[in-house]
Amino acid sequence: MLSAPLSPPLMHIPDGFLSILVSVVLWIATIGIVAVSLQRVNRDLGERQVPLMGVLAAAIFAGQMLNFPVAGGTSGHLLGAALATILLGPYAAVLVMACVIGVQGLLFQDGGLLAMGANIFNMGIVGVVVTHFLYRTLRNLGSGKRWTIFVGGFASAWLGVVTASLITALELAISGTTAANIAIPAMGGVHVLIGFGEALITVGALAFLYFTRPDLLKIGEAKPAGRAVWLAGLVIALAIAVASPLASSFPDGLEWVAEQQGFLNNAHNAPYQIIPDYVFPGIGNAALATIVAGVIGTLVVGGVAFALAYARRNRSVVSN
Amino acid sequence: MHVHFLDPFHNGTSLIHRLDPRVKLVFTLAYIVTASLLPFGAWAAYVLLLAIVLSVELASELGIGYVLRRALLATPFVLAAVPLIFTVPGTLLFTFSLGAWTFTASLEGVERLLSIAFKSWVSVQMAIVLAATTSFPNLLMAMRGIGIPRLLVAIVGLMWRYIFVLVDQALRLLRARAARSGATPEMGRRVGGSIVWRAQTTGGMAGNLLMRGFERGDRIYAAMAARGYDGEVRAFPLPQVPLTQWFGLGAAIFLFALILLFSILIVG
Amino acid sequence: MHHTIQVQELVFKYPDGTRALDGVSFHIAPGEKVALVGPNGAGKSTLILHLNGILQGEGTVCVADIPVVEKNFARVRAAVGLVFQDPDDQLFSPTVFDDVAFGPIYQGLDEQQVRARVEHALHAVHMQDYARRVSHHLSVGQKKRISIATVLSMQPEILVLDEPTAGLDPRGRRDLIRLLRELPQTMLIATHDLHMVQELLPRTIVMDGGRVVADGRTSEILNDDALLNAHGLEKP
Amino acid sequence: MHHTIQVQELVFKYPDGTRALDGVSFHIAPGEKVALVGPNGAGKSTLILHLNGILQGEGTVCVADIPVVEKNFARVRAAVGLVFQDPDDQLFSPTVFDDVAFGPIYQGLDEQQVRARVEHALHAVHMQDYARRVSHHLSVGQKKRISIATVLSMQPEILVLDEPTAGLDPRGRRDLIRLLRELPQTMLIATHDLHMVQELLPRTIVMDGGRVVADGRTSEILNDDALLNAHGLEKP
Ligand SMILES: Nc1ncnc2c1ncn2[C@@H]1O[C@H](COP(=O)(O)OP(=O)(O)OP(=O)(O)O)[C@@H](O)[C@H]1O
Ligand SMILES: Nc1ncnc2c1ncn2[C@@H]1O[C@H](COP(=O)(O)OP(=O)(O)OP(=O)(O)O)[C@@H](O)[C@H]1O
Ligand SMILES: [Mg+2]
Ligand SMILES: [Mg+2]
C-alpha cells in the first residue's frame, strides 16, 4: 500500500565509487566540522540537545517519505537540509543531517560506509552551509520581513540541493568513476528539477510552522553564525562558480540518464556484444590468476558451507 | 500500524551474529577499504573478495538470496559510471551515433565500469550482513568502541528509537491524504489541485512532523530530567573483546593486505 | 444512488504474513448505522482501510455500488468519508479551514463552492468559529469534531469511523454521540465503546481473528454473554 | 522520611499566556493513593510536571518534605517517580534494560547495584524476560509496564502517573490496576478512567480551569451528580 521508499532518489554515493583519497579527505573534513558543530550545539542548546537532535533527526528521516506527484510519474521529495538549517541554525542542522545520513548508510545501505564522509559532506554540510548563507542574506536584505522567510526558504532549499548534487558529481569525476563533462551537467540538470520539489515542500513546511508554532522559526536565528560558516560558504560559492557554466549547458538528469541508458541498452545491445569477442576483460597473465582465485574462492565458500552443515547437524543431534 | 520493515536486523545465533559488534564493524570497514583500494581490473582479487563475502553470508545463515536481493538496491548508481565506457581512451570496441552525437566505446572503459560495479556490489553485501546480524543497540556499542563521541552516539540512539514512531506518523499522514483524495468524474472538473497546492500540502505534512518532533523532544527531555538526566551522557564501560576474536580480526586484515599487495603487483 | 457497503469473501495478508482478514462478508443497506466490534487485533481497522482502497485484498468490495478497484479510487474516496481513530492522524494542514477544504479543493470545486462546503461542514459539528484556528492546538474533543468535518465537507454518502470516542472526556463523548445521531449518512463505526453501541447503533457486527463471528441486532448481541465472553468483550 | 506531597497556591502560565494553574493547593499524606480528575485541559498534566520541577510556577511545592527548587532537583527526582501518559515519551533508550537502568545510573550507583535494581523493577511489573528487547517492538500494555519499571528502579517514595490506563484493552487495564494495588508507594494518578478511580483510589481531587474544585472521599465525589456534571465528568 504505502510502499514508501526509504529515502528519496538522491545522491547517496555507495562504496566503490569514490577513490580512497577523496573518501578519506572528505571523512576528515566531515569529522572536523561535526566535531565543531557538536561543541557549538553543546554550548548553545545545553542539556536539551540530545533529545531534541535525536527526535528531529528522526523527523527529517520520516519526512523524506512524504512525497507528492509531479508530472510524468515522478514525485517531489524532501531532503531536509534546508528545513533543518532554517529551524535549528547551521551547527545543529549539520548534526541532524549527519545522523540521518549515517543511519541511512549504516542500516539501509543507502550510501556506503567508506563513502559516508562524502555523503554527509555533500548532503549535510554543503546543503546546510549553502542554505544558511543564502537564507540569512535574503532575510537581511528584506530586513527580516515575513515574506523573506518564504522567499529565503524557497531559494535556499533549491540552491542547497543543486549545489550538493554538483559537488557530488565533482567528487565522482575526481575519483575517476565518471566523466566530468557528462556527470556534472547531468546531475545538476536533474537536481534543478528535484530542487523545486524540495523548495516547494520546504516553503509548505515553513508556512505550517509559521501558523502553528512561530516561536520555532526563531530558534535558528538566535545565534549569529561564526566566521567558519561564512568561510565555508565562500569556498562552496567558488566551487559553484566553477561548476555552474558546465551545468547550464546540458539540462538532463540522473533519472534521465537512467532512462536513456536503458533505452540505449535495448536499442543497441551494446554491453552484450562485448563479451563474446573478448571472453573477459584483461585476458592474459591475469586470466590464470583469476582461475586460481576462482578455485580458491570456491574452496573457501564450499568449506564454510560444509562446516556449517556439519555444525548444524551436531547441534540438532545435541538438541535431540 | 507498525513499521517493522525499517529494522534490518535478523535475529539469529550464527557465528556472525555472535561476534563482537566492534570486531564486525572494523572487519566490514577493512573489507570495504580493501575493495576500494584494489586497482581496476584485478579480477583475481575480486573473485577472492566475492568468496570472502559469500562465506560470511553462508556463515551468517541469512540466506545468500536475501543478501543478493537487497544488494540490488544500490545498483542504479552504477549509471553514474556508464559514461566511462565512452570517455576512457583505449582499445576501440564499437561506435554508434545518436542524433548529433557519436559515441565511441573503449575496452578500458568497459573494464573500469565493471570493476566499479563489482567493488560496489561486494561492499554493499558486506554492509548488509553487518546490519542484518547486529542489533542496533550493539551497533551503537560498536560506534562507541571505535571512538565516536558519546554525545553523537546518544543522539543516534534516540534518533533510531523515534524513527519508528515518526515514520509511522508519516505513513499515517500519507494515508489520511489518500483517504480524502476523492472526486467524482462526471462533474468534469480538473481533479487533484495544482502542483503548487499539492506541494504546499505535502510541506504542511512535513512541518507537522517537525512540529511533533519538537514537542516530543520537549516531552522526552522532561522524561529524562525526571530520571535525573543533567546533560552528561553516562553509560556502562564497554566489555572486553575476546582474545580469539582479536586474533581473527588481525588475521583477516592481514589477508586483506596480502590480497591488496599481490593484486597491485600483478595488475599494477 | 445506493449508499450501500458490500464486502464479499475479503481476505487480506499484511506483507509480513499476518492474515488480518480471513474471508469477511457482509452487506450494509442504505441509511443503516452499524457497529463493528471485537478484541484488539481482530481486524477492524484493516477492514475499514479496504472500504476506500487504501488496502486491497482478495475478494470484492463495493461501496455505493462502485467496485473498489484502482480505476475507481477517486470516486470511491468521494463516496466514503473515513475518520481515523487518532485525530492527529487526520489533520495535516496548518489551519482548520485548510484541513476541511482539502477534500473539496481536490475534487476541483471552485473557491466559492469550497467555502460554502467548509462552512456547512463546520456548522454540522458546531465548530463554525474555529475555521482560522490552528488544528494542532485544539483539545482532543475539538480535533475529533474537526476530523469529522474534514470528511463531511466532501459530502460523502457513507461515513466510516474508527473508534471515534477514544480519548474523549465524558462530555466530549456525549456531544459526539449526539452529533452522530443527527447525521443522516450510512454509518459503520469500529469501536470498543459498547455503551455507545447500545445507544446509537441498532446493528452490530462482531469480528475476531479476521472473521465475522456474529452479525445481528445490537440488543441481542449485547445480551449474549457466551458470545461476548468468547471474544474478549464485556456487557456494557 | 515523610512521603508527602504539599502544594500551596501554585500558579503557572505557559509562555503563550495560557494560565494553566490558577492557585492550586492540596496536601497528600504518606501512603495515600489519590486520583486527580477533571475535563480535558483542566491542568492535570501541568500540575504533575511541577511535582519534580520540570515546570516551575509561583507558589510552593514540597515533596517528601523537600522544597522543589533548583538546588534540590536531584533529590526531588529521586523521591518522585513520574510516569507520562504516552509510553513513547517515557521509553527513549534502545533497549528495555537501558531504559530501566537510566535512572539508577544517574543516581550514581555502581554496575552491580544498577543490575540488581533493574532486575527487581522488571520483576515487579512481571517483565523480567524482556530486558534485552527493543522498546518500540512491544505492545502498548507492555510499554506501559516498562514505563512504570523505569521509575520503580529509582526506588522513589512517591509515584505520580498520568493517565496510566489510556490505550489499554480491558485485560491489560485489569493487570495494571492489580499491579498498582500491590505497590506500597504514595500515589497520585491523573486519569479519565473513573471506574479505576472507584476501584483503586480512596481519595479524589477534581480540577477544572486550573483550580481544585473538589477534594474528598472518592465514594462521595463520584455520587455528587451536580459536581460531576459541572465539570464534564460522568458517574462510572
Ligand atoms: N502494518 C501491519 N503489518 C503487519 N500486521 C499488521 C499491521 N497492522 C495490523 N496488523 C495485524 O493485523 C491484525 C489486525 O489488526 P487491526 O489493526 O485490523 O486490528 P483491530 O481490530 O483494528 O484492533 P484494535 O482494536 O487494536 O484497533 C493484528 O493481528 C495486527 O497485529
Ligand atoms: N505547551 C503548552 N503551551 C501552551 N499551553 C499549553 C501547553 N500545554 C498545555 N497547555 C494548556 O494548558 C491547559 C492545561 O493543560 P494540561 O495539559 O495540563 O491539561 P490536562 O488536564 O492534562 O488535560 P487532558 O485531560 O486533556 O490531559 C490547557 O488549556 C492547555 O491548552
Ligand atoms: Mg483498530
Ligand atoms: Mg494531560
Side-chain angles (χ1 to χ4, degrees), chain A residues 200-213:
Chain A
L200 286 170
I201 297 180
T202 301
V203 170
L206 290 174
F208 181 94
L209 292 170
Y210 187 84
F211 271 111
T212 53
R213 289 285 305 270

Side-chain angles (χ1 to χ4, degrees), chain B residues 2 4 7 137 140 157-158 160-162 164-165 216 219-220 222-230 232-237, chain D residues 52 54 77 82 84 86-95 97 99 102-103 105-106 111 114-115 134-137 150 154:
Chain B
H2 203 85
H4 282 290
D7 194 349
L140 288 176
L158 259 149
W160 183 69
R161 167 72 181 84
Y162 286 99
F164 295 86
V165 176
R216 197 177 278 277
R219 293 198 299 270
I220 294 161
M224 292 170 76
R227 284 191 260 157
Y229 172 72
D230 52 10
E232 192 196 327
V233 178
R234 285 173 220 171
F236 288 148
Chain D
N52 69 356
I54 289 171
R77 285 168 186 172
L82 214 62
F84 295 94
D86 184 352
D88 278 326
D89 290 336
Q90 184 97 13
L91 305 178
F92 44 75
S93 309
T95 69
F97 180 90
D99 245 324
F102 188 96
I105 290 178
Y106 273 86
E111 193 172 335
V114 171
R115 286 188 192 284
V134 170
S135 323
H136 53 248
H137 287 171
T150 63
M154 300 175 69

